[in-house]
Amino acid sequence: MEETSEFIYKLILSYKGTHYYGWQSQAKHEETVQNHVEKVISKISRYKVSKVIAASRTDAGVHASGQVLKVTLPREIEPDILTTGMNSMLPSDIKVIKSEFIHKDFNVNRDSKFKEYHYYFTINQNENAAFFDSTYTFPKELNLKKIQEACNILIGDHNFKSFCVPGPNPGTLHRKILQCSIEKSNFLTFNTDIYYLKIQGEGFLRYMVRYLMGALWDIGVGKLSLEDFTLSLKNGEMYGVRTKAPARGLHLINIEY
């Protein structure tokens, strides 16, 4: 009987989510990030058994610079060669940043300490086409000081029932937020002020960051009070308005292990 071997890798993946229906493979949509990655892995594996598991199921239109994958291959490939080989076959808007060997017991989901997301937005009323698909233009002036107060409230353990879309078996809807702030971007040199929500948490529910960004905007224009926001986080019930921010401003930045 032929002996089989498995070689386990941890990959850091980046992608622009604009043209994809999210990370996860779907029967009705072939254009997902997972489909493209698995096709390349299948070629590299010479169509033998392989496996790809992602740490985060980003939604349609969401971007990533720090998605983490556990990849199991039937043959050994040096990490640098794996990175170069995959990037030569992947689309230009999906690229591997780094590959490394990892132990077989590595659990890409349970072993993570926290995830960090950024949501990029501007309040400049004239949109700049150069970053239209990665930054959202909010159409009104915002009270950024009030938004930062709400960010401070978010730090800690809360009930996010009214800030997500729970799945069929969601388990607890409590999540712990480690850091949360509104920052001003300094890496774009265009003549536009870009801000972003920086949020780190031990885990996130579906659409949770987008609903939180929407709530922060509502607070920033006076449509949602800090009192109602705090009460919602305490008991999970909906107080005040609910706005879900568009996908295009959301970026998965880092997953720490």
Side-chain angles (χ1 to χ4, degrees):
M1 177 178 281
E2 183 182 353
E3 184 179 349
T4 58
S5 298
E6 290 184 337
F7 299 89
I8 316 298
Y9 299 83
K10 175 186 173 186
L11 272 60
I12 309 298
L13 189 72
S14 64
Y15 48 86
K16 181 174 280 191
T18 305
H19 303 299
Y20 299 102
Y21 290 93
W23 160 260
Q24 191 171 16
S25 294
Q26 303 173 38
K28 60 181 180 179
H29 296 303
E30 185 175 348
E31 284 299 301
T32 68
V33 179
Q34 184 177 6
N35 275 351
H36 282 279
V37 171
E38 288 185 340
K39 285 178 183 177
V40 168
I41 289 294
S42 182
K43 290 179 182 178
I44 287 175
S45 301
R46 297 170 183 166
Y47 302 99
K48 294 180 180 179
V49 176
S50 58
K51 186 183 291 186
V52 178
I53 303 173
S56 184
R57 298 178 180 180
T58 53
D59 297 312
V62 176
H63 317 289
S65 56
Q67 173 72 282
V68 178
L69 309 179
K70 179 181 180 181
V71 175
T72 303
L73 298 180
R75 66 190 185 98
E76 184 176 5
I77 303 173
E78 284 301 313
D80 288 347
I81 295 174
L82 178 60
T83 298
T84 302
M86 288 186 67
N87 286 340
S88 70
M89 291 184 274
L90 285 167
S92 60
D93 51 4
I94 304 175
K95 294 297 175 185
V96 178
I97 295 174
K98 181 182 179 182
S99 305
E100 62 181 293
F101 288 113
I102 197 75
H103 55 85
K104 66 178 181 179
D105 296 327
F106 172 63
N107 189 302
V108 75
N109 302 114
R110 290 198 300 268
D111 290 348
S112 67
K113 296 177 181 177
F114 65 82
K115 297 178 181 179
E116 180 174 327
Y117 284 89
H118 292 180
Y119 192 102
Y120 290 88
F121 65 94
T122 177
I123 52 179
N124 188 320
Q125 300 307 297
N126 298 316
E127 295 192 78
N128 189 321
F131 42 84
F132 172 81
D133 59 353
S134 57
T135 301
Y136 180 69
T137 299
F138 191 78
K140 298 178 181 179
E141 290 293 323
L142 291 167
N143 185 332
L144 296 175
K145 182 179 179 182
K146 188 74 75 173
I147 291 176
Q148 184 57 56
E149 289 182 47
C151 287
N152 295 339
I153 291 169
L154 275 171
I155 297 173
D157 187 286
H158 304 286
N159 185 338
F160 289 97
K161 179 182 177 182
S162 63
F163 296 96
C164 71
V165 176
N169 299 296
T172 179
L173 298 176
H174 279 256
R175 293 293 186 273
K176 187 175 182 180
I177 302 302
L178 305 176
Q179 291 187 30
C180 187
S181 59
I182 292 293
E183 307 286 345
K184 189 172 182 180
S185 170
N186 59 7
F187 63 84
L188 290 174
T189 57
F190 300 99
N191 189 26
T192 301
D193 288 338
I194 304 287
Y195 299 92
Y196 62 97
L197 169 67
K198 177 183 178 180
I199 186 166
Q200 288 182 1
E202 293 181 350
F204 294 91
L205 299 159
R206 189 181 186 196
Y207 300 140
M208 179 174 150
V209 179
R210 291 170 62 187
Y211 274 114
L212 287 175
M213 186 72 260
L216 294 176
W217 286 337
D218 289 336
I219 289 168
V221 297
K223 292 170 64 177
L224 177 63
S225 69
L226 289 173
E227 292 74 21
D228 283 346
F229 181 65
T230 303
L231 199 56
S232 294
L233 292 168
K234 183 177 181 180
N235 61 25
E237 298 303 317
M238 187 185 300
Y239 296 91
V241 297
R242 281 295 175 273
T243 301
K244 183 171 73 172
R248 77 186 202 216
L250 184 58
H251 298 247
L252 171 60
I253 299 299
N254 179 44
I255 303 175
E256 189 69 24
Y257 291 88

